[in-house]
Amino acid sequence: MAAQTMHRLLGDSVLRRKARRVPTIDRSIQRLIDDMVATMKQAGGVGLAAPQIGVSLRIIVLQMLGEEPMAIVNPEIVKRAGEREVTEACLSVPGYAGEIKRSASVTVKGQDRHGKAIRIKATGLMAQALEHELDHLDGVLYVDKTEPVKLHKIEPPTLEVGGD
Ligand code: ZN
């Protein structure tokens, strides 16, 4: 798979599938992570999930402003606390953002790109991004989260997670 793989859009069935766990983190998985990071950077997003580039595996990547990109393989939310209203957008639903509710903080466990167990406690945008990307692994998009989601058009049209 080439770097900066084309991302998948709303309507593509891979975005609605429950992604499979990664049994072994080998070179091909590490290359996939590299492709995901390249695609995330090109799009200017703070996160990306493997189904967004057409791969139905439980892998997400995240990059907060000024920090190194990070990958989490087989991520699971083990704790959620609080609630806050956020503006959210998704690379797979270009041109729109909407207001939804997310947890104020989450704790996620999983593995890093070398297979080492990791556990992350996050608040704010990072917590929002983790919930958003984890939802992708279960075939859920932010536009499913509220009725009626107050969608509005945004510029530039491709944002992941942040919608302002
Ligand atoms: Zn998304």
Side-chain angles (χ1 to χ4, degrees):
M1 198 179 305
Q4 297 174 8
T5 309
M6 193 55 204
H7 59 267
R8 303 303 180 96
L9 301 179
L10 181 66
D12 192 316
S13 65
V14 72
L15 292 173
R16 294 310 199 169
R17 216 173 289 155
K18 191 170 164 70
R20 280 176 297 116
R21 282 183 67 83
V22 175
T24 314
I25 300 171
D26 56 15
R27 274 294 296 148
S28 71
I29 294 296
Q30 289 168 342
R31 271 196 297 271
L32 172 62
I33 288 169
D34 293 341
D35 281 351
M36 289 171 64
V37 168
T39 303
M40 171 179 67
K41 285 183 168 179
Q42 187 187 37
V46 303
L48 193 81
Q52 292 183 279
I53 58 166
V55 180
S56 196
L57 286 174
R58 303 188 82 79
I59 306 172
I60 65 171
V61 294
L62 297 154
Q63 184 168 29
M64 295 294 120
L65 194 64
E67 291 183 23
E68 287 297 304
M70 127 194 289
I72 312 176
V73 179
N74 300 325
E76 279 174 58
I77 294 181
V78 292
K79 197 171 164 189
R80 300 174 197 263
E83 193 179 68
R84 63 190 197 107
E85 180 137 325
V86 295
T87 301
E88 195 148 307
C90 179
L91 195 54
S92 300
V93 190
Y96 292 90
E99 276 68 53
I100 66 163
K101 290 204 166 66
R102 288 289 189 195
S103 303
S105 72
V106 295
T107 303
V108 171
K109 67 172 189 173
Q111 293 159 274
D112 72 7
R113 61 176 292 141
H114 303 292
K116 188 171 157 263
I118 52 174
R119 191 182 178 93
I120 296 155
K121 182 166 185 203
T123 58
L125 180 62
M126 178 78 168
Q128 181 187 355
L130 283 164
E131 284 192 320
H132 180 108
E133 305 311 338
L134 266 285
D135 278 347
H136 274 303
L137 303 183
D138 292 325
V140 174
L141 299 172
Y142 84 89
V143 292
D144 307 333
K145 287 276 173 181
T146 181
E147 18 54 74
V149 65
K150 290 166 276 171
L151 286 176
H152 53 266
K153 297 220 178 210
I154 53 163
E155 205 57 56
T158 53
L159 278 174
E160 178 76 358
V161 183
D164 289 315

